[in-house]
Amino acid sequence: MAFVFRVAMQFVGLLLSLLGWVLSMITTYLPQWKNLNLDLNEMENWTMGLWQACVIQEEVGRQCKDFDSFLALPAELRISRILMFLSNGLGLLGLLLSGSGLDCLRIGETRRGRKKGLLILGGILFWSAGISALTPVSWVAYKTVQEFWDETVPEIVPRWEFGEALFLGWFAGFFLLVGGCLLNCAACSTRAAPASGHHAVAETLTQGPYLENGTTDLRM
């Protein structure tokens, strides 16, 4: 029963981590980190992502333009690119390592300690990926709120608002953190496999004469 519960915890943790990693990949390339709704022209909306800015019009549709220079971006968007790439890479590495350490796989079945280490390392990588995903979306959200309530800007000027990518990034980070916690909890509940009966009997027969004599016979 304990084995089934542990395998189920590993499976759920890996699924949540996989879902978080997929959402993190989508968040990275989704051009909707910020939305700008124009009150004077309701038929035109602007969106901004890490890679491009888009304008949506009813007659023309969506038109996007890539940013010309990385250095021309605001500081929060430049660092967000780096952190989201880091989150995607750590998530992929965590999937590979934790997938190899699942108890339901017969790969490395005789090396429980190594599989336990892979699960723990995979969980730590998922934690790191989750923090790397939560940091940029939270930072961009904070800057958006700060600029929205800036009293020095006239009220007639349109303000940027939260985009859909921010909410996806929060969900991605949450799933990665929860998945990593489940994998580590399952790994910590794994016990080392006991020695086989044949090995124990052979070791007893080998050490028996030495225990009786109290010394080792070195004569040929």
Side-chain angles (χ1 to χ4, degrees), residues 55-111:
V55 57
I56 305 174
Q57 299 175 341
E58 287 190 1
E59 297 180 356
V60 182
R62 180 190 296 269
Q63 293 180 338
C64 298
K65 180 182 179 182
D66 296 335
F67 296 124
D68 296 331
S69 174
F70 174 77
L71 298 178
L73 293 174
E76 65 270 18
L77 294 184
R78 291 200 305 267
I79 299 178
S80 295
R81 277 193 188 184
I82 299 173
L83 290 177
M84 291 306 297
F85 274 131
L86 180 63
S87 175
N88 297 335
L90 291 175
L92 179 59
L93 186 59
L95 287 172
L96 295 176
L97 293 179
S98 58
S100 302
L102 295 177
D103 287 340
C104 58
L105 297 179
R106 301 185 65 88
I107 301 176
E109 190 176 14
T110 58
R111 298 180 178 180

Side-chain angles (χ1 to χ4, degrees), residues 194-205:
S196 62
H198 177 75
H199 178 74
V201 172
E203 185 177 0
T204 303
L205 293 176

Side-chain angles (χ1 to χ4, degrees), residues 132-196:
S132 300
L134 289 175
T135 301
V137 294
S138 300
W139 188 12
V140 172
Y142 169 75
K143 295 292 291 185
T144 303
V145 172
Q146 196 176 35
E147 294 173 358
F148 186 87
W149 296 107
D150 190 358
E151 297 180 355
T152 60
V153 180
E155 295 183 358
I156 195 174
V157 177
R159 313 292 178 95
W160 288 101
E161 299 178 1
F162 290 172
E164 292 81 356
L166 296 183
F167 299 98
L168 288 180
W170 279 320
F171 279 113
F174 175 75
F175 287 144
L176 286 169
L177 287 176
V178 174
C181 288
L182 290 177
L183 287 175
N184 276 326
C185 290
C188 292
S189 64
T190 303
R191 297 180 179 178
S196 62

